[in-house]
Amino acid sequence: MNINQAVELVKEKLPKKRFDHSVRVAETAVKLAEIYDGDKSKAELAGILHDYSKYDDLGKMYQIVTKHELDSNLLSYGSEILHGPVCAVIMKEHYGVDDEEVLLAIKNHTTGRAHMTKTEKLVFIADYIEPGRQTPGVEEIRDLAYNQGSLDKTIYEISKRTVLYLINKDINVYDATIACLNYYNYSDERVKDD
Ligand code: DGI
Ligand code: FE
Ligand code: FE
């Protein structure tokens, strides 16, 4: 699927506000790819597609998890956690997206994970800092991403904020979210191999 086809697909499916968010995530991911020497085409494609399944029927999402043998823990969560993994399956199965980095970036855009590829990192961060986001403290994260030169540090700070937010609201934290937090913790002494 090329970028124009992806834009049309998402434009038809999503409400305007969500479509506009998707465009901004794609643009932001490309901007980050320029700064961090990433693959702009992959970042743009994953960015535009990442929320395609955001409003899909929850029952159908669970069916996809079971049929495609995705992590069974996903069955304990709602669409907030499911829309990424489900979207990656749909893009591969129905729309011929075969680039593994693009599929991973879509799959893990909400939670992150340990050992992310460059494209996953770009989309994960872009989703958090796109110019329409007004989350308290987002300016600090934008400064980290655009001016401080470290994708990994930016990821850690996003994960930390997300986990603190979830815990404060007594919302369960998915395994990959915790794995991401621990892996990108720069205070940890382990040397990262990627
Ligand atoms: O789809 P978007 O709204 O653009 O953004 P997103 O895919 O990053 O989803 C953000 C939501 O996901 C936000 O409400 C927090 C939630 N979330 C992130 N990590 C976890 C989580 N929810 C649960 N239950 N557990 C998590 O680990
Ligand atoms: Fe999302
Ligand atoms: Fe999003």
Side-chain angles (χ1 to χ4, degrees):
M1 171 161 14
N2 68 36
I3 188 68
N4 296 328
Q5 293 168 318
V7 169
E8 286 312 309
L9 188 71
V10 173
K11 196 180 207 167
E12 264 176 40
K13 171 100 183 278
L14 295 178
K16 179 156 192 322
K17 272 179 91 164
R18 184 57 54 174
F19 171 71
D20 291 346
H21 160 73
S22 305
V23 171
R24 291 191 300 265
V25 170
E27 288 169 354
T28 304
V30 168
K31 228 163 122 176
L32 291 171
E34 278 164 4
I35 297 171
Y36 291 98
D37 194 25
D39 186 316
K40 288 190 266 183
S41 311
K42 290 183 190 197
E44 188 177 28
L45 187 60
I48 201 77
L49 294 172
H50 81 287
D51 274 342
Y52 177 83
S53 298
K54 181 86 183 172
Y55 307 112
D56 284 3
D57 177 77
L58 193 56
K60 292 202 179 110
M61 289 191 178
Y62 288 142
Q63 280 176 12
I64 289 175
V65 170
T66 306
K67 184 175 170 206
H68 292 271
E69 298 180 346
L70 304 184
D71 176 18
S72 59
N73 287 335
L74 288 169
L75 299 172
S76 312
Y77 290 87
S79 60
E80 292 290 13
I81 294 298
L82 282 152
H83 71 279
V86 164
C87 179
V89 168
I90 291 173
M91 289 304 146
K92 185 173 179 167
E93 297 292 313
H94 298 287
Y95 296 105
V97 177
D98 57 3
D99 187 290
E100 202 50 43
E101 262 201 59
V102 171
L103 292 169
L104 282 171
I106 294 169
K107 179 177 182 180
N108 298 310
H109 81 264
T110 303
T111 60
R113 63 172 181 125
H115 302 279
M116 284 195 277
T117 65
K118 178 84 67 85
T119 307
E120 279 178 283
K121 293 178 184 184
L122 300 175
V123 174
F124 178 80
I125 296 170
D127 196 21
Y128 198 88
I129 66 168
E130 63 92 346
R133 294 286 201 204
Q134 292 171 356
T135 322
V138 70
E139 271 310 326
E140 217 178 307
I141 305 294
R142 288 192 182 112
D143 178 56
L144 265 178
Y146 290 127
N147 307 317
Q148 309 293 322
S150 173
L151 287 175
D152 290 1
K153 197 166 179 172
T154 309
I155 290 162
Y156 177 67
E157 292 299 333
I158 293 171
S159 288
K160 190 164 83 178
R161 281 162 175 74
T162 300
V163 168
L164 287 169
Y165 162 84
L166 294 167
I167 289 172
N168 275 321
K169 289 203 168 294
D170 298 310
I171 300 172
N172 279 6
V173 185
Y174 182 59
D175 310 35
T177 308
I178 295 287
C180 182
L181 178 81
N182 287 336
Y183 185 77
Y184 292 103
N185 181 359
Y186 47 87
S187 303
D188 189 277
E189 287 167 359
R190 284 168 310 151
V191 176
K192 314 243 174 298
D193 48 16
D194 51 9

